[in-house]
């Protein structure tokens, strides 16, 4: 029975993996719509297949779209329009600055026409027709919700709302910090079958696959034959906005690219086979010449081991390849599950909004319903984290009170057992107080005696009357008693407080 359950579980796992792999589109790298180091810029400063302007600076390692100076704007746009419907762009960039707050931010564009190089929206033109994904690092509306990543669609007629940071126009977004990270931050933007997905890498690790879901929007219709671009701008505050990689892949549904790929692969295979034979002949000829020139050296065995692999190496390579494919499939399955969870959360939010009277957003048809005051997953996680912190603090306070109670009980037991461990009373020490008062009166008597002696011997300090009258004597005694009482009270309080600590 256990074996049957095990095989049934394995069958379901492989069925899910096959279903996931069956939906994965074919990817093809498009070098004419990409740039990356090294040798990103040529000697004349130009970037192949791209053009830039404004305050942008291109080097061999990256494109500094906007430098860390005030009121700088720049952009870089691809020269040719996009010739495929679905695409995926991996954007690797850095936003660094010395200030605690940065400005203004970076923008990824896919628009019907190229934008300006010194425009008003993150360095590009306003009233664009297409998609703009903004990495906004400045809090214009003072709501403490930046840095923020947002997707804004425009049909060419709307003006960007700078005052509210575009919150009234965005389709969706996520709160992520991308400034001053130890490693480069990454954004993977995918547009496939009218669904826009943005994955984000926060730059805290050097793992290239450490992406997390930022947002996913369905029913997005973008114009065909658009242009890719990246722009950035600074204001009163400034950051360096550097883009090192812009990697574009065209996406095709499964089975659509197979026939063309077979035709190309056959031609390429014949060409590569011929080149391989030519190189093989040249290699054999060079080997013969080397053996002829060095008859005393025999390295046939070393050369055989260097250029060929053993059976064990081949088996290990195949095992590693299979495990890598399984890991990729499981990672893709995890990503799909995250998307399913996100869809369920959005569906629950829509249902709750409809129950309280939600209103669809005005504009183009197909846009998602605008939600009001809905709780999000990160907010729930924050609330749970705060509750766990409160519970942990309460447990610590409880343990501390129990420890104090235990120590107090121990001290009382020790004092009860040992006769030397006696607690002094909390009241005043009347014996010491009386002795101190007696000493003070004796000192006063001595002073009076000295004065009387001086008077009897003819002193001139008090020629007419006595220097010390009865009233002055009583006032002096009363002041001294008050001082002694205050000192005794202060000392007893200090001793009582010191005893409480033990």
């Amino acid at each position: 029975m256990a074996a049957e359950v095990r095989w049934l579980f394995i069958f379901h796992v492989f069925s899910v993996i096959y279903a996931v792999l069956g939906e994965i589109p074919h990817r093809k790298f498009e070098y004419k719509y990409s740039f990356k180091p090294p040798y990103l810029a040529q000697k004349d400063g130009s970037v192949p297949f791209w053009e830039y302007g404004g305050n942008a600076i291109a080097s061999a390692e990256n494109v500094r779209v906007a430098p860390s100076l005030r009121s700088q704007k720049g952009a870089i746009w691809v020269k040719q329009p996009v010739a495929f419907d679905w695409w995926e762009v991996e954007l690797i960039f850095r936003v660094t600055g010395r200030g605690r707050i940065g400005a203004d931010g970076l923008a990824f564009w896919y628009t019907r026409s190229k934008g300006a190089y010194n425009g008003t929206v993150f360095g590009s033109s306003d009233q664009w027709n297409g998609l703009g994904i903004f990495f906004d690092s400045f809090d214009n509306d003072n709501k403490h919700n930046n840095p923020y990543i947002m997707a804004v669609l425009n049909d060419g007629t709307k003006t960007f709302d700078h005052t509210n940071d575009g919150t009234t126009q965005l389709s969706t977004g996520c709160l992520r910090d991308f400034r001053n990270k130890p490693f480069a931050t990454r954004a993977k933007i995918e547009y496939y079958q009218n669904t826009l997905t943005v994955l984000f890498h926060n730059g805290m690790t050097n793992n290239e696959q450490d992406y997390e879901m930022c947002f996913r929007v369905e029913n997005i219709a973008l114009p065909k034959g658009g242009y890719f671009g990246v722009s950035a701008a600074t204001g009163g505050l400034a950051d360096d906005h550097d883009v090192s990689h812009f990697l574009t892949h065209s996406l095709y549904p499964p089975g659509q690219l197979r026939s063309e790929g077979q035709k190309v692969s056959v031609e390429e295979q014949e060409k590569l086979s011929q080149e391989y034979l030519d190189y093989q002949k040249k290699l054999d000829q060079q080997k013969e010449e080397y053996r002829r020139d060095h008859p005393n050296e025999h390295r046939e065995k070393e050369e055989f081991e260097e250029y060929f692999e053993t059976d064990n190496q081949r088996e290990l390579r195949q095992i590693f390849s299979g495990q890598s494919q399984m890991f990729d499939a499981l990672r893709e399955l995890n990503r799909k599950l995250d998307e399913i969870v996100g869809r369920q959360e959005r569906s629950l939010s829509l249902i709750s909004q409809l129950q309280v009277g939600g209103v669809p957003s005005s504009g183009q048809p197909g846009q998602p319903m605008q939600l009001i005051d809905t709780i999000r997953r990160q907010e729930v996680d924050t609330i749970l984290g705060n509750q766990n912190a409160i519970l942990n603090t309460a447990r610590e306070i409880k343990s501390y009170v129990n420890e104090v109670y235990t120590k107090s009980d121990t001290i009382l037991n020790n004092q009860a057992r040992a006769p030397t461990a006696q607690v002094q009373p909390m009241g005043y020490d009347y014996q010491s107080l009386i002795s101190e008062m007696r000493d003070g009166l004796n000192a006063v008597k001595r002073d009076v005696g000295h004065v009387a002696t001086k008077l009897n011997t003819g002193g001139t300090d008090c020629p007419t009357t006595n220097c010390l009258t009865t009233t002055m004597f009583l006032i002096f005694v009363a002041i001294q008693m008050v001082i002694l009482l205050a000192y005794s009270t202060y000392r007893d309080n200090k001793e009582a407080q010191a005893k409480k600590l033990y």
Side-chain angles (χ1 to χ4, degrees):
M1 184 65 182
E4 295 178 356
V5 172
R6 189 186 305 113
W7 283 109
L8 183 62
F9 175 74
I10 294 173
F11 173 75
H12 283 294
V13 169
F14 277 97
S15 299
V16 172
I17 294 175
Y18 178 77
V20 171
L21 293 177
E23 296 179 359
I24 297 176
H26 295 289
R27 303 168 73 251
K28 179 182 178 182
F29 179 69
E30 302 291 343
Y31 68 94
K32 293 184 179 180
Y33 303 92
S34 307
F35 60 79
K36 63 178 181 178
Y39 311 115
L40 189 150
Q42 304 298 315
K43 294 182 178 180
D44 58 353
S46 63
V47 179
F49 308 108
W50 293 77
E51 55 186 7
Y52 60 92
N55 300 116
I57 305 171
S59 63
E61 298 297 328
N62 56 39
V63 178
R64 178 155 291 178
V65 189
S68 57
L69 299 173
R70 294 183 177 180
S71 302
Q72 300 290 300
K73 299 177 181 179
I76 179 170
W77 291 89
V78 70
K79 293 181 179 179
Q80 299 179 0
V82 176
F84 36 87
D85 297 336
W86 319 119
W87 41 264
E88 179 189 84
V89 173
E90 185 175 5
L91 189 67
I92 304 178
F93 62 95
R94 281 181 177 269
V95 179
T96 56
R98 294 182 297 176
R100 184 177 60 86
I101 301 174
D104 282 338
L106 188 79
F108 164 83
W109 300 97
Y110 176 79
T111 57
R112 183 181 295 276
S113 59
K114 300 178 185 178
Y117 298 98
N118 55 354
T120 59
V121 182
F122 295 94
S124 186
S125 302
D126 201 347
Q127 296 181 350
W128 66 94
N129 187 359
L131 170 67
I133 296 179
F134 303 147
F135 300 86
D136 190 1
S137 57
F138 186 73
D139 193 6
N140 289 301
D141 54 3
N142 197 21
K143 292 183 179 179
H144 305 288
N145 55 353
N146 291 84
Y148 196 77
I149 304 174
M150 69 182 79
V152 180
L153 297 173
N154 199 338
D155 55 359
T157 60
K158 301 176 184 177
T159 302
F160 185 69
D161 187 6
H162 289 279
T163 305
N164 297 316
D165 278 336
T167 55
T168 59
Q169 301 170 332
L170 62 88
S171 298
T172 186
C174 64
L175 187 64
R176 297 290 185 275
D177 188 9
F178 48 81
R179 293 185 68 250
N180 296 328
K181 296 302 180 181
F183 301 98
T185 51
R186 301 166 179 261
K188 187 175 291 185
I189 306 165
E190 178 184 301
Y191 178 64
Y192 181 67
Q193 293 182 351
N194 294 334
T195 300
L196 178 65
T197 306
V198 175
L199 305 177
F200 181 71
H201 187 298
N202 58 9
M204 297 303 295
T205 63
N206 199 19
N207 185 8
E208 297 180 356
Q209 302 297 330
D210 194 9
Y211 282 95
E212 60 179 352
M213 176 69 69
C214 180
F215 57 81
R216 177 187 176 91
V217 186
E218 299 179 352
N219 299 325
I220 299 296
L222 298 180
K224 296 183 179 181
Y227 292 85
F228 290 127
V230 179
S231 66
T234 62
L237 301 175
D239 282 336
D240 285 326
H241 301 80
D242 300 329
V243 179
S244 59
H245 293 72
F246 192 102
L247 307 178
T248 304
H249 289 81
S250 58
L251 303 179
Y252 299 92
Q256 181 174 341
L257 194 63
R258 186 173 299 174
S259 59
E260 298 179 358
Q262 288 180 353
K263 294 180 181 178
V264 175
S265 62
V266 171
E267 297 175 357
E268 292 292 334
Q269 184 177 2
E270 294 178 356
K271 183 179 179 180
L272 292 175
S273 299
Q274 186 63 35
E275 292 180 356
Y276 175 76
L277 294 175
D278 296 338
Y279 281 118
Q280 187 69 29
K281 291 179 181 179
K282 291 181 181 179
L283 180 62
D284 294 339
Q285 184 178 358
Q286 290 176 358
K287 284 183 180 180
E288 292 295 333
E289 292 178 357
Y290 181 81
R291 292 172 183 171
R292 192 182 309 113
D293 296 336
H294 303 81
N296 296 326
E297 297 183 6
H298 300 283
R299 299 182 59 188
E300 295 182 359
K301 184 177 180 180
E302 290 79 4
E303 289 177 355
F304 180 84
E305 293 179 353
E306 180 179 359
Y307 291 102
F308 297 94
E309 61 182 3
T310 61
D311 295 338
N312 293 330
Q313 292 176 348
R314 186 183 303 108
E315 184 177 0
L316 289 175
R317 181 174 56 81
Q318 292 175 355
I319 294 172
F320 178 76
S321 177
Q323 290 181 349
S324 299
Q325 292 178 1
M326 293 175 64
F327 178 75
D328 293 338
L330 291 175
R331 186 172 60 243
E332 186 67 22
L333 180 62
N334 188 16
R335 189 175 70 86
K336 293 288 185 182
L337 291 176
D338 290 338
E339 294 178 1
I340 293 172
V341 171
R343 291 180 182 178
Q344 290 180 351
E345 291 178 352
R346 287 193 296 272
S347 300
L348 293 175
S349 301
L350 288 172
I351 293 171
S352 61
Q353 185 63 26
L354 290 173
Q355 291 177 355
V356 299
V359 180
S361 60
S362 61
Q364 297 179 357
Q367 291 185 353
M369 180 175 293
Q370 184 179 1
L371 303 181
I372 302 173
D373 294 336
T374 57
I375 189 167
R376 295 179 175 83
R377 185 175 183 178
Q378 57 268 22
E379 295 176 351
V380 175
D381 295 338
T382 304
I383 294 172
L384 293 176
N386 293 333
Q387 290 181 351
N388 292 329
I390 293 171
L391 290 175
N392 293 331
T393 306
R395 293 192 186 99
E396 292 178 358
I397 294 173
K398 183 179 179 181
S399 62
Y400 179 74
V401 171
N402 291 330
E403 184 178 359
V404 171
Y405 177 76
T406 304
K407 289 183 177 179
S408 301
D409 193 10
T410 303
I411 291 171
L412 293 175
N413 294 330
N414 293 333
Q415 290 176 353
R417 289 194 301 269
T420 57
Q422 295 179 358
V423 180
Q424 295 183 357
M426 296 295 292
Y428 303 121
D429 191 356
Y430 294 102
Q431 294 180 359
S432 61
L433 179 61
I434 293 170
S435 62
E436 290 178 1
M437 292 175 63
R438 184 171 58 249
D439 294 338
L441 291 174
N442 292 331
V444 172
K445 289 181 180 179
R446 285 195 300 270
D447 293 338
V448 172
H450 290 308
V451 172
T453 303
K454 287 183 180 180
L455 292 174
N456 293 327
T457 56
T460 58
D461 293 338
C462 298
T464 57
T465 60
N466 292 329
C467 294
L468 182 65
T469 62
T470 303
T471 305
M472 292 180 62
F473 175 74
L474 294 176
I475 292 173
F476 181 80
V477 171
I479 293 173
Q480 193 169 10
M481 291 180 64
V482 170
I483 293 173
L484 291 174
L485 287 171
Y487 174 74
S488 178
T489 304
Y490 174 77
R491 188 182 63 183
D492 291 340
N493 291 333
K494 284 293 184 180
E495 290 177 355
Q497 291 178 2
K499 291 174 182 178
K500 290 180 180 180
L501 300 177
Y502 299 97

